[in-house]
């Protein structure tokens, strides 16, 4: 199992960061993706547990299911279709950090093609770091 973890401190309260992180369709404004569409709402929050979102980016169309949703603290998801990976699970955790918030994004996966894990780690790590930098810019500029 491959694991990637990236982290960024954002100068805003967790509630403010959460409002951006948990807005699936708003991800296109900070995550470096072309489009995100919520295909099925979660319950009780439409963006919460059980929601299915389709992410279009880098020539891929990936479906993800939200598997855990704790407002202001944690969002977990699994890829259910479209990625060149298997057993892909992601987690975004918000932790108070002084007068700001530490956002940690962790991804675990297995590559479909043996021996390509190191390459996928590099690509995903760069993408996740870029997404967190975009999140920081988005939250701190509003």
């Amino acid at each position: 199992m491959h694991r990637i973890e990236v982290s960024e401190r954002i100068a805003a309260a967790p509630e403010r960061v959460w409002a951006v992180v948990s807005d699936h369709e708003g991800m296109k404004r900070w995550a470096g993706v072309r489009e995100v569409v919520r295909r099925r709402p979660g319950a009780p929050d439409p963006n919460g547990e059980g929601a299915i979102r389709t992410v279009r980016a880098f020539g891929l169309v990936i479906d993800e299911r939200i598997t855990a949703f704790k407002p202001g603290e944690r969002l977990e998801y699994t890829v259910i279709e479209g990625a060149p990976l298997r057993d892909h699970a992601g987690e975004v955790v918000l932790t108070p950090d002084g007068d700001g918030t530490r956002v940690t994004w962790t991804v675990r996966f297995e590559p479909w093609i043996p021996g390509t894990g190191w390459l996928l780690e590099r690509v995903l790590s760069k993408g996740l770091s870029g997404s967190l930098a975009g999140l920081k810019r988005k939250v701190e500029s509003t």
Side-chain angles (χ1 to χ4, degrees):
M1 182 69 68
H2 294 266
R3 183 178 185 277
I4 301 162
E5 182 176 295
V6 297
S7 183
E8 181 79 56
R9 185 183 184 283
I10 298 176
E15 298 79 25
R16 206 162 114 212
V17 177
W18 181 257
V20 177
V21 165
S22 64
D23 174 16
H24 303 311
E25 293 174 333
M27 286 178 70
K28 66 184 174 196
R29 293 189 284 277
W30 59 268
V33 298
R34 189 168 54 92
E35 180 183 39
V36 180
V37 176
R38 188 180 58 224
R39 297 284 182 203
R40 186 174 85 191
D45 188 302
N47 287 325
E49 192 168 337
I52 295 178
R53 64 187 182 192
T54 298
V55 180
R56 287 179 170 80
F58 315 110
L60 297 172
V61 178
I62 299 169
D63 289 335
E64 299 174 336
R65 175 180 291 119
I66 305 305
T67 57
F69 189 86
K70 188 168 183 184
E73 294 180 26
R74 172 185 312 271
L75 182 144
E76 296 177 23
Y77 63 93
T78 59
V79 171
I80 56 176
E81 192 173 330
L85 316 163
R86 57 186 167 87
D87 301 325
H88 178 141
E91 172 186 61
V92 180
V93 176
L94 282 59
T95 308
D97 186 356
D99 61 351
T101 305
R102 170 73 46 192
V103 180
T104 305
W105 197 335
T106 306
V107 169
R108 290 174 297 282
F109 69 92
E110 286 291 337
W112 280 111
I113 302 169
T116 62
W118 66 272
L119 177 60
L120 293 170
E121 278 185 26
R122 284 184 135 180
V123 170
L124 285 171
S125 183
K126 184 176 179 180
L128 294 177
S129 293
S131 291
L132 284 185
L135 176 64
K136 179 179 178 77
R137 283 190 302 276
K138 170 74 176 151
V139 172
E140 291 181 354
S141 70
T142 55

